[in-house]
Amino acid sequence: MADNGNPEVSGQSPNDSDKASDESSEWQDINDTPSTDFVTLGMFIIGTTTRHKLTNPADEIEYPPPRPPSTDVLGGAGSYSALGARLFSPAPDLSRTVGWIVDQGSDFPQTITDLINGWSTSAVFRHDPTRLTTRGWNGYVDSSERREFKYTTPKKRLTAADLAGTPLLKAKAVHMVCSPNRCKELVEEIIIIRKREARLAAASRPSSNNNDDEDDDNNDGGYTRPLIIWEPVPDLCTSFELLNCTNALPLIDICSPNHAELAGFMGTDGLDPETGQISVEQVERNCEQLLASMPLTTYTLVVRAGEKGCYVARNGGRQRKKSQQPKTTKNGKGKGNGGKKKKVGGLDARNFHGGLQPDTDMMSLFAGLLQDMEDRGNDDDPFGRFDVEEGIEVDAGIERWLPAYHTDAAKVVDPTGGGNTFLGGLAVALARGKSIEEACAWGSVAASFAIEQ
């Protein structure tokens, strides 16, 4: 395939020149987009779905009558989360702030291409005629209501390197669906790549004196940290992965499992033993235990609990106050402070992560007097989690249930993708400066569109 993120067709022949020209034109359109609010690293999958119970999930042809399965369904976490963000991003302008990558194999249906183009998002199509499109099967496996998913073609998942060299790398919010260990890898890789490209961009800009170059080196050339929304992959939400989960939490901003996935991490089933329904008490207790395991780290748990709505929980503590971007003159030099640029955070105070560092002064920590990271050369913060300056303010934390927008079970057509769509709406809301409560409301409305279809 072509270089990561490059929409040109690999192994292009002269007959492919028109298509490559069209893709280059589309890429230019994406480059012209003012900014990207949202990007997802969720996979694109074409699905086959049945809403009937099957006795043999490997048999994708003989389905019980009278209704046949749905085929060539737009699916995958990438598609659904992009849909959630797109629902709150009207065309022609805001829709272009929603970014995602669509890997097309030789069997990619034109109808799905047309559908995606109709959304007017900054979707990057990467065509590879040497492979099949990632496809999957969704359906019931026995007489119960348990659903199962399996891949029917080799899967192609995205990496941080796929964003390199593209406008999608600069997204304000990044959504990912993965295991705890892969979450750590992706976040660290994204931040390293963003810093590298920021430095390269700064180096390519003309400067009037050496002081400007020095300032760019100090602030990584204008690097900003993205908001990270992590959706744990269901298969690895187990008690064996709990330690890996707690190691990933200091690197992210939002962790959003559903009630069963959270319960899996904590070694419970998440259900009321008397009613068999979702246990509100268990959700709250599991969040309390998980937050208590990382008391000096600021991240938010958003637990999706079906008809119960969602539970939002975050530790209280200190966080740095929002810094203001310095005003600039026409030649790009900052006003005030001798014309030097000041380091600012990627997404106001929400991008501050606490946590013990090797040389943390505990007395100062509990007094709320965290030493300025810039004075210490930032050597103990390689991933830029302390880029906000100018004082510290108190975060009271949050523990709150927010109601579900969708309440009529009779309207549910298919719950597939509801959680992904929720997080797309939530992520784009946070990227645009909304509170976590309002962002959850956006997510709840978005999810209702997905499950009612």
Side-chain angles (χ1 to χ4, degrees):
M1 182 171 288
D3 292 340
N4 292 327
N6 191 327
E8 293 182 356
V9 179
S10 74
Q12 178 179 316
S13 66
N15 293 332
D16 295 327
S17 60
D18 290 342
K19 184 170 185 176
S21 175
D22 291 342
E23 290 171 334
S24 297
S25 175
E26 178 182 4
W27 189 244
Q28 182 60 45
D29 290 342
I30 294 175
N31 277 318
D32 290 340
T33 303
S35 64
T36 303
D37 288 338
F38 169 86
V39 69
T40 178
L41 288 175
M43 284 195 299
F44 175 90
I45 301 173
I46 294 178
T48 296
T49 305
T50 176
R51 297 179 180 86
H52 302 280
K53 298 176 177 62
L54 304 179
T55 57
N56 181 7
D59 188 348
E60 299 182 20
I61 300 175
E62 297 179 4
Y63 298 112
R67 189 173 181 179
S70 301
T71 59
D72 286 349
V73 178
L74 179 67
S79 303
Y80 282 111
S81 60
L83 169 64
R86 172 62 177 86
L87 287 169
F88 297 95
S89 308
D93 297 325
L94 280 180
S95 63
R96 301 292 285 172
T97 70
V98 176
W100 50 313
I101 295 175
V102 179
D103 283 310
Q104 299 173 303
S106 59
D107 59 338
F108 200 89
Q110 182 61 41
T111 53
I112 293 185
T113 300
D114 295 340
L115 174 62
I116 295 173
N117 284 334
W119 291 7
S120 299
T121 59
S122 292
V124 177
F125 292 92
R126 304 192 302 184
H127 185 69
D128 184 356
T130 66
R131 66 179 298 273
L132 296 175
T133 306
T134 302
R135 289 179 177 266
W137 176 89
N138 233 332
Y140 295 100
V141 297
D142 49 36
S143 60
S144 72
E145 293 297 316
R146 184 170 64 89
R147 297 173 64 88
E148 184 173 286
F149 173 84
K150 65 170 185 168
Y151 291 101
T152 57
T153 63
K155 64 181 180 181
K156 182 175 177 59
R157 65 181 185 181
L158 300 178
T159 68
D162 290 316
L163 303 178
T166 78
L168 305 185
L169 178 65
K170 300 178 182 179
K172 298 174 184 175
V174 179
H175 165 254
M176 57 187 67
V177 185
C178 54
S179 68
N181 283 338
R182 181 161 169 76
C183 173
K184 290 170 55 182
E185 294 172 2
L186 285 174
V187 173
E188 292 172 0
E189 290 170 5
I190 288 171
I191 291 176
I192 288 171
I193 295 172
R194 281 175 70 124
K195 284 189 173 183
R196 183 182 67 212
E197 294 203 2
R199 293 189 188 103
L200 290 174
S204 66
R205 292 194 297 265
S207 58
S208 58
N209 55 57
N210 293 331
N211 288 336
D212 286 343
D213 294 337
E214 183 179 350
D215 289 339
D216 282 338
D217 290 338
N218 288 338
N219 68 6
D220 294 307
Y223 158 79
T224 57
R225 187 186 187 280
L227 185 71
I228 304 295
I229 294 89
W230 174 39
E231 184 179 353
V233 65
D235 291 348
L236 291 177
C237 290
T238 68
S239 57
F240 298 104
E241 287 288 321
L242 179 58
L243 179 59
N244 292 329
C245 175
T246 57
N247 288 336
L249 290 173
L251 298 177
I252 57 94
D253 297 270
I254 306 291
C255 174
S256 182
N258 64 26
H259 67 283
E261 293 158 358
L262 174 64
F265 276 130
M266 307 308 293
T268 67
D269 61 8
L271 301 177
D272 187 315
E274 296 183 358
T275 66
Q277 302 299 312
I278 298 172
S279 170
V280 170
E281 290 76 14
Q282 277 203 42
V283 170
E284 294 175 358
R285 183 166 57 251
N286 288 338
C287 283
E288 182 179 5
Q289 292 175 352
L290 192 55
L291 289 171
S293 70
M294 305 289 287
L296 301 177
T297 302
T298 301
Y299 59 89
T300 302
L301 294 173
V302 178
V303 183
R304 295 167 278 117
E307 71 276 6
K308 303 288 186 183
C310 67
Y311 183 64
V312 183
R314 183 182 67 241
N315 281 329
R318 304 148 326 284
Q319 62 184 13
R320 293 186 183 275
K321 294 181 179 179
K322 181 177 178 180
S323 296
Q324 298 295 325
Q325 282 277 11
K327 296 181 179 179
T328 57
T329 59
K330 291 182 179 180
N331 62 8
K333 298 180 66 176
K335 291 183 178 180
N337 196 29
K340 292 186 177 181
K341 300 174 185 177
K342 301 180 73 174
K343 186 178 293 186
V344 296
L347 196 70
D348 63 60
R350 284 190 299 266
N351 78 343
F352 175 82
H353 289 253
L356 291 175
Q357 301 297 322
D359 60 348
T360 299
D361 181 338
M362 295 301 295
M363 294 300 292
S364 294
L365 176 65
F366 289 111
L369 300 175
L370 194 62
Q371 185 178 357
D372 189 348
M373 298 300 293
E374 186 172 321
D375 292 342
R376 290 182 281 167
N378 238 19
D379 293 333
D380 56 349
D381 182 38
F383 301 113
R385 298 188 298 275
F386 295 88
D387 282 347
V388 187
E389 288 188 339
E390 298 183 355
I392 293 171
E393 60 186 10
V394 174
D395 176 6
I398 184 173
E399 294 178 346
R400 182 176 181 182
W401 279 96
L402 298 170
Y405 177 81
H406 179 92
T407 57
D408 187 355
K411 292 183 179 181
V412 175
V413 176
D414 189 343
T416 303
N420 308 135
T421 310
F422 175 96
L423 290 174
L426 176 143
V428 80
L430 292 177
R432 294 172 187 165
K434 306 301 181 183
S435 68
I436 185 62
E437 292 92 340
E438 186 171 354
C440 287
W442 284 34
S444 182
V445 171
S448 73
F449 279 89
I451 65 179
E452 291 182 12
Q453 299 189 32

